[in-house]
Amino acid sequence: MSSATANGVTIEYDVRGEGQPILFVMGLGGQLIDWSDEFVDQFVDRGYQVIRFDNRDIGLSTQTTWETPSYFRQLVSFVLRRQVKNVGYTLQDMAADGVALLTSLGIERAHVVGASMGGMIVQEMAIGHPDRVLSMCSIMSNTGDRKNGGISAALLPKFAR
């Protein structure tokens, strides 16, 4: 594995194969190794270059020092369908990290694939940097719109238990 300074943070990454690049973006709390070697090899065997990386605050990438909102504050924001204020960085920042990593690797455009929160990040890449995205695949994710795609309020008491 290697690291690069991208968008002002150090990003740990791994590149396998040669051919058209695919950038894999893992979700909240997931490391690059959560894209298993066996899974990645299926793309490499089909002639793709696979880039997977640790998002900031994950694995060997830069660990930031901002104070996370309390669980209670996050829950209230979720129930009221409002965004938590004063966060250390945004999904747009994380999308810019991925684009900056591609730049540091000399890659002009790539297919982008994201799982869970990684799906939200690649959506932000496609919206904010369409000239850098060949195609986008968002797996097990949503748009981040707090009015749509959320869980039913009837399930909240079950989470409390």
Side-chain angles (χ1 to χ4, degrees), residues 23-27 35 112-120 122 136-141:
L23 181 70
F24 283 96
V25 185
M26 188 44 75
W35 298 104
V112 294
V113 177
S116 192
M117 185 183 76
M120 297 170 81
V122 299
M136 182 206 74
C137 178
S138 178
I139 305 166
M140 305 178 308
S141 193

Side-chain angles (χ1 to χ4, degrees), residues 33-83:
I33 57 174
D34 290 333
W35 298 104
S36 71
D37 289 341
E38 296 79 17
F39 180 72
V40 168
D41 286 344
Q42 292 182 54
F43 291 89
V44 171
D45 292 346
R46 287 170 175 79
Y48 291 94
Q49 177 186 49
V50 175
I51 304 109
R52 52 189 178 163
F53 68 100
D54 288 339
N55 285 310
R56 56 172 78 190
D57 281 325
I58 297 299
L60 299 175
S61 289
T62 292
Q63 303 294 308
T64 60
T65 57
W66 66 284
E67 185 175 328
T68 59
S70 70
Y71 179 74
F72 177 75
R73 192 167 137 211
Q74 291 178 57
L75 182 62
V76 168
S77 294
F78 177 77
V79 170
L80 297 177
R81 298 189 185 276
R82 294 191 179 138
Q83 190 169 2

Side-chain angles (χ1 to χ4, degrees), residues 64-138:
T64 60
T65 57
W66 66 284
E67 185 175 328
T68 59
S70 70
Y71 179 74
F72 177 75
R73 192 167 137 211
Q74 291 178 57
L75 182 62
V76 168
S77 294
F78 177 77
V79 170
L80 297 177
R81 298 189 185 276
R82 294 191 179 138
Q83 190 169 2
V84 177
K85 301 292 183 197
N86 302 321
V87 294
Y89 49 87
T90 65
L91 289 172
Q92 291 88 356
D93 295 324
M94 297 176 82
D97 293 348
V99 170
L101 175 61
L102 292 175
T103 300
S104 74
L105 296 173
I107 297 171
E108 189 172 322
R109 300 178 79 204
H111 301 283
V112 294
V113 177
S116 192
M117 185 183 76
M120 297 170 81
I121 294 169
V122 299
Q123 289 174 57
E124 289 291 343
M125 289 176 76
I127 293 166
H129 309 274
D131 56 320
R132 304 299 300 272
V133 176
L134 289 168
S135 69
M136 182 206 74
C137 178
S138 178

